[in-house]
Amino acid sequence: MLPFVISLLPAVNPGHARNITVYHVNEHKFGAIPLNMNTADVIGDLFFDLLEVFIAPLACANQTGPPKPGPNPCANPEAVGADLMVNKLTLEIDERYSGYAACNVGINGSDPFGHPCKSDTYCCFCHVNGSMKEDAPCNATLGYENVYEQFGQWITPGGCKPSPFQPHPRPSDCYAAAAFTKLNEVNHGSWYSSLDLGYCGSPGSACTWRVVSVDKIVQRSCHATVFGAAVQKNGDPGCLLGCGSQATNVSSPCYVDCFYKAALGPESGTVGGAIAGMSLDELQAAWRLPFSPENEGPADDASCELDHALRSYADRHADRVAKGLHKSRSEYGRACAKSLLAANEAFISGGAAAEALGRHARAAADFCATAIEERNWDTPAWQEANLLALCYQLAALLAEVACDAQAVTQPSAPAEAQSQAEADRGAEAGPTASVRIGAAAIGIFNLAVAAACNERSAPAWLASVSSLLRRAEAVVTRLRPRQLHLGAETQELAPWHAWRIPSALPTINLPEFSERRRVLEVDACSLSCASFFCEHLQRGRPVLIRGHLQAQQWGALDYFSDLRSLYVDAGGRLVPVAGFKYFRLYALDQTPLLHATTLRAKNTNSFGTSPVRLEAPLPPEHASVAQAEYIEGLLAPGDMLFLPKSMWHYVRSLTTSVSVNFWF
């Protein structure tokens, strides 16, 4: 039946069909398909951004509108709406255009031109020859407008001047007027109107346009960050320095003022001021940066690309998950639900709320962890809440990395000092960011694998996990190459080397060993089964068996020393130790000194835990830990540690590592 159904769908007339790439900005809730919306080519949307969207913080600071009738950026949902997205699509269109239709979101029952329009709904009104003053009936054809021809009348020689609309122009008015001068007859910009009357999405309708692909969706806050940083590089560094703490806030009036000075010239915001700044080609290139393909230069910021599956799932199900937590018997259910909803709200708000997103996500994840430590999760909502919290944590970390990268690009120091500062910053902050992102990604991966193993009830959120993990991988791969330590040397490596687990012990961040506390070490070749059984297994004595896996000639040692094998090959495997780990072992009689919480009797899923950070300076409340006796050691690739039952253990990875536990 499916081929028959498809055959009934209308198609664009092949004799007049062609593909075009278009962009449009709108609130996320309206979706990427531009039904009853306006779209544009790069120049057209760049012009709209300069005229209506980027200018909004500066224009709205004094409540000044644009220098023409139409949507006020201070009220236009496409300029100041919640959760704005910039969408890139490929459309197949019938190029027999009609006049342009102005499509806007209804506010208080009308559109910006006074036409009746249901609030929070897109409405389109067609005009005679593009005139905003005379309405005309709409039809199914794709509407078209040459932006330069429509707005060329606003180009005034000699810079910004008073007009009937703005008798006393403010800087935002002059910047908007200066934006017109970037257009010309050749690079004119195109606006399109795609009405539902011509959408090829339902049988029986006229068909003048259809969506070939949704190529990319970028959060508007992220687009502004990348676009703004590229433009600010062309401006006076002193301008942003004058913004103080707002020097990286793309929604602050000071930042926006510096942006337009860099884009259009330092005098373009004054009456009669000269218009200069960047060329139209340069502005186009900067505006397109957030849409650059993966692995094509610094514009490939993986945190910019919206994880649409996760966002859509969270929009639909966060409330349901929170209600499920309210039904839990755990005392932490309601608190977790509150934190989860707060994290979701911050996630929807975008980049500006990254700090709040991370804070609320960590709280929700902590509640999930505490709940399972005290008793089994008593409702499926806990598992879903845990994954959402971890995903929100990862999103916050990716946003943090993006913000750090943006901060480095700000002209806060001379070029040579800035270059050295950037290098120092990368050496200091990079590994920490990599490790934190990696830890969050591993938590998500583990939970997703556990859920996927149950094929009958694999949750819908699994669809969002792979793209989120790919984003994390892309960021970590960019952070790691300059920071990989191979023996005593630090080398510049190709990105794929980030997969390789170091085969030599690093020279930094090593623990201080005490010979009297070293665990007993035995070479694998000198240890017989009988001696192991009698001396260690029966007596419950720990032992580190050096080179055990090499002695057994386990080929997986080489296989798993390169994580690309895990990435390329599928299937479950037993994984020997790869990489290096430091460990400490505490006997059971040391429990009173460790501030341990033993919960095995109440919960089969949890083990004894302690909040103490053993290698960090001990706070007064944990001072007793310093008196606890322990033994310690270092695991290298191929080693095996026998850990007797009822021993506390602490492990820290010294490098990227892979290991497996055998319980018997």
Side-chain angles (χ1 to χ4, degrees):
M1 291 297 293
L2 184 59
F4 176 71
V5 173
I6 293 176
S7 68
L8 292 179
L9 295 178
V12 176
N13 187 316
H16 300 278
R18 71 182 180 97
N19 286 4
I20 60 173
T21 298
V22 298
Y23 303 82
H24 71 98
V25 60
N26 62 275
E27 292 179 284
H28 170 62
K29 62 185 178 183
F30 292 112
I33 308 302
L35 283 168
N36 292 329
M37 298 182 191
N38 297 137
T39 59
D41 63 3
V42 171
I43 296 176
D45 223 33
L46 164 66
F47 177 75
F48 177 74
D49 203 349
L50 294 175
L51 187 67
E52 301 271 359
V53 184
F54 216 108
I55 197 71
L58 182 62
C60 299
N62 298 303
Q63 291 296 298
T64 59
K68 67 180 184 63
N72 184 337
C74 303
N76 184 3
E78 292 185 343
V80 297
D83 198 21
L84 288 176
M85 302 294 149
V86 187
N87 308 277
K88 177 183 178 182
L89 305 92
T90 299
L91 303 182
E92 182 184 42
I93 65 166
D94 186 322
E95 58 185 350
R96 294 173 293 180
Y97 303 118
S98 63
Y100 181 73
C103 301
N104 293 282
V105 180
I107 301 175
N108 297 325
S110 67
D111 78 349
F113 303 101
H115 301 103
C117 180
K118 183 180 178 181
S119 296
D120 209 31
T121 302
Y122 269 93
C123 300
C124 298
F125 292 90
C126 301
H127 308 285
V128 174
N129 296 324
S131 170
M132 299 294 184
K133 299 179 180 179
E134 187 175 355
D135 293 345
C138 292
N139 55 48
T141 55
L142 192 76
Y144 173 79
E145 184 164 85
N146 180 308
V147 180
Y148 175 75
E149 290 180 358
Q150 174 65 24
F151 294 97
Q153 58 181 308
W154 300 100
I155 298 176
T156 55
C160 178
K161 295 180 180 179
S163 71
F165 298 115
Q166 270 94 25
H168 305 288
R170 297 179 183 272
S172 57
D173 305 323
C174 290
Y175 289 140
F180 294 122
T181 65
K182 297 297 179 179
L183 303 176
N184 54 60
E185 292 182 356
V186 176
N187 299 305
H188 51 74
S190 298
W191 284 356
Y192 306 94
S193 52
S194 47
L195 278 60
D196 57 1
L197 296 172
Y199 179 51
C200 307
S202 58
S205 67
C207 177
T208 61
W209 67 277
R210 71 179 184 91
V211 176
V212 176
S213 60
V214 177
D215 301 321
K216 198 166 186 180
I217 303 174
V218 176
Q219 288 176 287
R220 198 279 157 179
S221 59
C222 181
H223 186 281
T225 298
V226 177
F227 177 37
V231 170
Q232 297 283 18
K233 291 178 181 178
N234 296 273
D236 177 8
C239 187
L240 279 179
L241 287 175
C243 295
S245 62
Q246 300 301 307
T248 60
N249 181 4
V250 297
S251 61
S252 74
C254 185
Y255 182 98
V256 173
D257 187 58
C258 293
F259 168 88
Y260 279 90
K261 282 182 168 67
L264 305 174
E267 299 178 5
S268 58
T270 60
V271 174
I275 299 171
M278 300 168 66
S279 69
L280 181 59
D281 287 342
E282 292 171 332
L283 286 169
Q284 286 186 76
W287 195 90
R288 279 196 299 254
L289 278 177
F291 296 99
S292 297
E294 289 189 1
N295 303 319
E296 287 192 8
D300 173 34
D301 185 346
S303 66
C304 282
E305 184 172 358
L306 172 67
D307 182 1
H308 197 68
L310 173 61
R311 180 175 292 271
S312 298
Y313 183 83
D315 284 351
R316 296 194 305 272
H317 297 291
D319 286 338
R320 175 184 57 77
V321 173
K323 291 178 181 177
L325 292 174
H326 278 266
K327 297 178 182 179
S328 171
R329 294 188 301 273
S330 171
E331 61 183 294
Y332 304 107
R334 292 181 180 272
C336 183
K338 182 178 179 180
S339 295
L340 191 69
L341 290 177
N344 187 59
E345 183 177 348
F347 181 58
I348 290 174
S349 299
E355 188 277 331
L357 172 61
R359 185 175 68 255
H360 294 304
R362 286 191 298 272
D366 287 345
F367 284 127
C368 291
T370 304
I372 200 172
E373 283 181 359
E374 294 198 356
R375 57 176 56 86
N376 294 330
W377 284 338
D378 57 357
T379 171
W382 278 111
Q383 185 186 53
E384 211 164 352
N386 195 26
L387 183 117
L388 279 174
L390 291 173
C391 287
Y392 292 152
Q393 274 189 274
L394 182 54
L397 288 169
L398 294 175
E400 180 183 321
V401 170
C403 289
D404 287 346
Q406 164 67 4
V408 169
T409 65
Q410 299 304 323
S412 55
E416 60 275 10
Q418 185 178 346
S419 177
Q420 182 59 47
E422 182 176 351
D424 294 341
R425 182 186 182 92
E428 178 181 350
T432 300
S434 300
V435 170
R436 291 165 64 200
I437 291 172
I442 289 171
I444 294 169
F445 177 80
N446 290 340
L447 191 57
V449 168
C453 289
N454 186 353
E455 296 182 1
R456 293 183 178 179
S457 61
W461 46 253
L462 285 177
S464 68
V465 169
S466 60
S467 56
L468 191 63
L469 294 182
R470 280 196 296 269
R471 287 167 52 194
E473 177 191 332
V475 171
V476 171
T477 299
R478 284 198 302 275
L479 290 173
R480 292 296 292 171
R482 290 180 299 170
Q483 300 148 2
L484 290 177
H485 294 269
L486 302 181
E489 299 181 1
T490 301
Q491 300 185 11
E492 292 282 345
L493 301 173
W496 65 265
H497 279 87
W499 290 102
R500 188 77 188 175
I501 296 179
S503 58
L505 188 66
T507 58
I508 61 172
N509 205 21
L510 293 176
E512 295 183 3
F513 285 100
S514 170
E515 288 301 323
R516 68 178 182 84
R517 289 197 295 259
R518 276 191 179 270
V519 69
L520 177 65
E521 298 182 10
V522 178
D523 186 84
C525 297
S526 64
L527 184 67
S528 66
C529 290
S531 61
F532 173 73
F533 179 82
C534 296
E535 298 296 325
H536 302 286
L537 187 60
Q538 264 193 335
R539 296 186 180 186
R541 296 173 59 187
V543 61
L544 175 58
I545 307 172
R546 290 291 186 194
H548 175 73
L549 300 182
Q550 286 92 341
Q552 298 299 319
Q553 298 183 350
W554 200 354
L557 268 176
D558 291 332
Y559 180 85
F560 283 104
S561 67
D562 191 330
L563 289 179
R564 286 174 299 164
S565 305
L566 298 175
Y567 185 77
V568 175
D569 298 342
R573 302 175 190 273
L574 293 177
V575 185
V577 173
F580 295 83
K581 291 189 174 186
Y582 166 69
F583 65 87
R584 290 185 186 181
L585 305 178
Y586 294 82
L588 194 60
D589 60 8
Q590 302 299 303
T591 301
L593 301 174
L594 298 178
H595 300 272
T597 304
T598 53
L599 300 166
R600 290 188 180 88
K602 298 175 63 177
N603 183 2
T604 57
N605 286 341
S606 64
F607 298 86
T609 60
S610 171
V612 180
R613 299 179 62 189
L614 293 176
E615 294 185 83
L618 295 173
E621 62 269 22
H622 294 158
S624 64
V625 177
Q627 305 171 28
E629 296 181 358
Y630 63 91
I631 55 178
E632 62 185 348
L634 188 147
L635 278 167
D639 293 347
M640 180 174 287
L641 173 66
F642 169 62
L643 177 63
K645 182 180 179 181
S646 298
M647 286 201 77
W648 296 99
H649 62 280
Y650 162 81
V651 180
R652 174 167 67 89
S653 293
L654 302 177
T655 67
T656 304
S657 60
V658 178
S659 59
V660 64
N661 293 330
F662 297 91
W663 300 92
F664 58 95

